[in-house]
Structures are given as structure tokens and as C-alpha cells.
């Protein structure tokens, strides 16, 4: 069970997917759009109100938890 707000989990999950898409050389014509999306998601995750109360170690915990969800390990 994740102890993060759902919108923060969704934004981090979208960030992970966008980052993987950007690293995939299959569609190089989408690079600009993907970079813009990655930047938007980075802002959403970084400046989320949750971080006002949480410690910095929670950022790593969020990334780890989302990656586990994405891979089905969690």
C-alpha cells in the first residue's frame, strides 16, 4: 500500500512512461513533444503540495514504489 497521494503517484507513473518513451529510438520525431511532457510532469511531481510535509527521502521512495508498480513487483 502506497502512502502517497493518488495524483502524485499518477504523475510519477506518467513521468516514468514518458522517460522510457523518450529513450526509445523508434519514434525520433516525437522527441520534442516527449521532452515537453517530461518537463510538465517533472514540475507536477517536484512542486506537489505533498512535499511540504514529507522528507526528501520520500522522493526516492515514491520513484521506487512507482517502478515496482509498473513492473508488477509491488
Amino acid at each position: 500500500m502506497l502512502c502517497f497521494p493518488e495524483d502524485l503517484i499518477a504523475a510519477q507513473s506518467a513521468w516514468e512512461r514518458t522517460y522510457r518513451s523518450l529513450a526509445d529510438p523508434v519514434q525520433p520525431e516525437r522527441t520534442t513533444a516527449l521532452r515537453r511532457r517530461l518537463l510538465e510532469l517533472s514540475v507536477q511531481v517536484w512542486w506537489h503540495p505533498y512535499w511540504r510535509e514529507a522528507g526528501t527521502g520520500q522522493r526516492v521512495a515514491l520513484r521506487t514504489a512507482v517502478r515496482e508498480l509498473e513492473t508488477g513487483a509491488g
Side-chain angles (χ1 to χ4, degrees), residues 35-56:
R35 285 184 180 168
R36 286 182 182 144
R37 180 69 177 142
L38 195 62
L39 182 58
E40 291 170 3
L41 291 166
S42 294
V43 169
Q44 286 178 27
V45 171
W46 186 261
W47 294 107
H48 193 280
Y50 173 80
W51 301 124
R52 290 186 199 131
E53 304 292 324
T56 54

Short mmCIF file of all heavy atoms in Angstrom, two decimals, residues 35-56:
data_model
loop_
_atom_site.label_atom_id
_atom_site.label_comp_id
_atom_site.label_asym_id
_atom_site.label_seq_id
_atom_site.Cartn_x
_atom_site.Cartn_y
_atom_site.Cartn_z
N ARG A 35 9.82 15.53 -24.62
CA ARG A 35 10.61 16.36 -23.70
C ARG A 35 9.73 17.38 -23.00
O ARG A 35 9.89 17.63 -21.81
CB ARG A 35 11.74 17.06 -24.45
CG ARG A 35 12.87 16.16 -24.80
CD ARG A 35 13.98 16.93 -25.46
NE ARG A 35 15.07 16.03 -25.78
CZ ARG A 35 16.08 16.35 -26.56
NH1 ARG A 35 16.14 17.55 -27.11
NH2 ARG A 35 17.04 15.49 -26.80
N ARG A 36 8.81 17.98 -23.75
CA ARG A 36 7.89 18.94 -23.13
C ARG A 36 7.02 18.25 -22.09
O ARG A 36 6.79 18.81 -21.00
CB ARG A 36 7.01 19.58 -24.20
CG ARG A 36 7.74 20.59 -25.03
CD ARG A 36 6.84 21.25 -26.04
NE ARG A 36 7.61 22.17 -26.85
CZ ARG A 36 7.40 22.37 -28.12
NH1 ARG A 36 6.42 21.73 -28.76
NH2 ARG A 36 8.16 23.23 -28.78
N ARG A 37 6.52 17.09 -22.41
CA ARG A 37 5.69 16.34 -21.47
C ARG A 37 6.48 15.97 -20.22
O ARG A 37 5.99 16.08 -19.09
CB ARG A 37 5.14 15.07 -22.15
CG ARG A 37 4.28 14.22 -21.27
CD ARG A 37 2.96 14.90 -20.95
NE ARG A 37 2.13 14.00 -20.16
CZ ARG A 37 1.36 14.38 -19.17
NH1 ARG A 37 1.23 15.66 -18.87
NH2 ARG A 37 0.66 13.50 -18.49
N LEU A 38 7.72 15.54 -20.42
CA LEU A 38 8.58 15.19 -19.29
C LEU A 38 8.81 16.40 -18.38
O LEU A 38 8.77 16.28 -17.15
CB LEU A 38 9.90 14.62 -19.79
CG LEU A 38 10.77 13.90 -18.78
CD1 LEU A 38 10.05 12.67 -18.23
CD2 LEU A 38 12.08 13.49 -19.42
N LEU A 39 9.01 17.55 -18.98
CA LEU A 39 9.20 18.77 -18.20
C LEU A 39 7.93 19.12 -17.41
O LEU A 39 8.00 19.45 -16.22
CB LEU A 39 9.59 19.93 -19.11
CG LEU A 39 9.87 21.26 -18.43
CD1 LEU A 39 10.98 21.12 -17.41
CD2 LEU A 39 10.22 22.31 -19.46
N GLU A 40 6.77 19.03 -18.04
CA GLU A 40 5.49 19.30 -17.36
C GLU A 40 5.31 18.35 -16.17
O GLU A 40 4.91 18.78 -15.09
CB GLU A 40 4.32 19.12 -18.32
CG GLU A 40 4.24 20.17 -19.39
CD GLU A 40 3.22 19.82 -20.46
OE1 GLU A 40 2.53 18.78 -20.33
OE2 GLU A 40 3.11 20.58 -21.44
N LEU A 41 5.58 17.08 -16.40
CA LEU A 41 5.42 16.09 -15.33
C LEU A 41 6.43 16.31 -14.22
O LEU A 41 6.12 16.13 -13.04
CB LEU A 41 5.52 14.68 -15.90
CG LEU A 41 4.35 14.28 -16.80
CD1 LEU A 41 4.70 13.01 -17.58
CD2 LEU A 41 3.09 14.08 -15.98
N SER A 42 7.65 16.71 -14.58
CA SER A 42 8.67 16.99 -13.57
C SER A 42 8.22 18.10 -12.64
O SER A 42 8.40 18.02 -11.42
CB SER A 42 9.99 17.37 -14.25
OG SER A 42 10.51 16.29 -14.97
N VAL A 43 7.61 19.13 -13.21
CA VAL A 43 7.10 20.24 -12.41
C VAL A 43 5.98 19.76 -11.50
O VAL A 43 5.95 20.11 -10.31
CB VAL A 43 6.63 21.39 -13.33
CG1 VAL A 43 5.86 22.44 -12.55
CG2 VAL A 43 7.83 22.03 -14.03
N GLN A 44 5.07 18.96 -12.03
CA GLN A 44 3.96 18.44 -11.23
C GLN A 44 4.46 17.63 -10.04
O GLN A 44 3.97 17.78 -8.91
CB GLN A 44 3.04 17.57 -12.06
CG GLN A 44 2.17 18.32 -13.03
CD GLN A 44 1.33 17.36 -13.85
OE1 GLN A 44 1.02 16.24 -13.42
NE2 GLN A 44 0.94 17.78 -15.04
N VAL A 45 5.43 16.77 -10.30
CA VAL A 45 5.96 15.92 -9.23
C VAL A 45 6.77 16.74 -8.24
O VAL A 45 6.58 16.64 -7.02
CB VAL A 45 6.80 14.76 -9.81
CG1 VAL A 45 7.53 14.01 -8.71
CG2 VAL A 45 5.92 13.80 -10.61
N TRP A 46 7.66 17.58 -8.73
CA TRP A 46 8.58 18.32 -7.86
C TRP A 46 7.84 19.29 -6.94
O TRP A 46 8.17 19.42 -5.76
CB TRP A 46 9.61 19.07 -8.69
CG TRP A 46 10.64 19.71 -7.83
CD1 TRP A 46 10.69 21.02 -7.44
CD2 TRP A 46 11.78 19.09 -7.23
NE1 TRP A 46 11.77 21.25 -6.64
CE2 TRP A 46 12.46 20.07 -6.49
CE3 TRP A 46 12.27 17.80 -7.25
CZ2 TRP A 46 13.61 19.79 -5.78
CZ3 TRP A 46 13.44 17.53 -6.53
CH2 TRP A 46 14.09 18.53 -5.81
N TRP A 47 6.85 19.99 -7.47
CA TRP A 47 6.17 21.03 -6.70
C TRP A 47 4.85 20.57 -6.10
O TRP A 47 4.05 21.40 -5.65
CB TRP A 47 5.95 22.27 -7.57
CG TRP A 47 7.24 22.90 -7.93
CD1 TRP A 47 7.84 22.88 -9.16
CD2 TRP A 47 8.13 23.61 -7.08
NE1 TRP A 47 9.05 23.54 -9.11
CE2 TRP A 47 9.26 24.00 -7.84
CE3 TRP A 47 8.11 23.96 -5.73
CZ2 TRP A 47 10.31 24.72 -7.31
CZ3 TRP A 47 9.17 24.67 -5.21
CH2 TRP A 47 10.25 25.04 -6.00
N HIS A 48 4.61 19.28 -6.03
CA HIS A 48 3.36 18.78 -5.45
C HIS A 48 3.30 19.18 -3.97
O HIS A 48 4.31 19.12 -3.26
CB HIS A 48 3.32 17.25 -5.59
CG HIS A 48 1.97 16.70 -5.30
ND1 HIS A 48 1.51 16.50 -4.01
CD2 HIS A 48 0.97 16.31 -6.12
CE1 HIS A 48 0.28 16.01 -4.06
NE2 HIS A 48 -0.07 15.89 -5.33
N PRO A 49 2.11 19.59 -3.50
CA PRO A 49 1.98 20.01 -2.10
C PRO A 49 2.39 18.96 -1.07
O PRO A 49 2.76 19.30 0.06
CB PRO A 49 0.47 20.31 -1.96
CG PRO A 49 0.00 20.58 -3.35
CD PRO A 49 0.88 19.76 -4.26
N TYR A 50 2.36 17.70 -1.45
CA TYR A 50 2.77 16.63 -0.53
C TYR A 50 4.17 16.85 0.02
O TYR A 50 4.45 16.54 1.19
CB TYR A 50 2.68 15.28 -1.25
CG TYR A 50 3.25 14.13 -0.46
CD1 TYR A 50 2.50 13.52 0.54
CD2 TYR A 50 4.53 13.65 -0.71
CE1 TYR A 50 3.02 12.46 1.27
CE2 TYR A 50 5.05 12.60 0.02
CZ TYR A 50 4.30 12.01 1.01
OH TYR A 50 4.81 10.97 1.73
N TRP A 51 5.05 17.41 -0.78
CA TRP A 51 6.45 17.55 -0.37
C TRP A 51 6.66 18.59 0.72
O TRP A 51 7.71 18.61 1.35
CB TRP A 51 7.33 17.88 -1.58
CG TRP A 51 7.25 16.84 -2.64
CD1 TRP A 51 6.90 17.02 -3.94
CD2 TRP A 51 7.50 15.43 -2.52
NE1 TRP A 51 6.91 15.83 -4.62
CE2 TRP A 51 7.29 14.83 -3.77
CE3 TRP A 51 7.89 14.61 -1.45
CZ2 TRP A 51 7.44 13.47 -4.00
CZ3 TRP A 51 8.04 13.25 -1.68
CH2 TRP A 51 7.82 12.70 -2.93
N ARG A 52 5.67 19.42 0.98
CA ARG A 52 5.80 20.40 2.07
C ARG A 52 5.91 19.71 3.42
O ARG A 52 6.54 20.22 4.33
CB ARG A 52 4.60 21.35 2.08
CG ARG A 52 4.60 22.29 0.91
CD ARG A 52 3.48 23.30 1.03
NE ARG A 52 3.26 23.87 -0.28
CZ ARG A 52 2.08 24.01 -0.85
NH1 ARG A 52 0.99 23.62 -0.23
NH2 ARG A 52 1.99 24.53 -2.05
N GLU A 53 5.26 18.55 3.53
CA GLU A 53 5.25 17.81 4.79
C GLU A 53 6.22 16.63 4.81
O GLU A 53 6.66 16.20 5.85
CB GLU A 53 3.83 17.27 5.05
CG GLU A 53 2.76 18.34 5.07
CD GLU A 53 2.90 19.27 6.26
OE1 GLU A 53 3.30 18.80 7.34
OE2 GLU A 53 2.62 20.47 6.09
N ALA A 54 6.54 16.10 3.65
CA ALA A 54 7.36 14.88 3.55
C ALA A 54 8.85 15.23 3.50
O ALA A 54 9.23 16.31 3.06
CB ALA A 54 6.97 14.10 2.31
N GLY A 55 9.65 14.30 3.92
CA GLY A 55 11.09 14.47 3.85
C GLY A 55 11.61 14.17 2.45
O GLY A 55 10.92 13.56 1.62
N THR A 56 12.84 14.56 2.19
CA THR A 56 13.41 14.36 0.87
C THR A 56 13.59 12.88 0.53
O THR A 56 13.56 12.51 -0.62
CB THR A 56 14.78 15.07 0.74
OG1 THR A 56 15.61 14.62 1.80
CG2 THR A 56 14.61 16.57 0.79
#
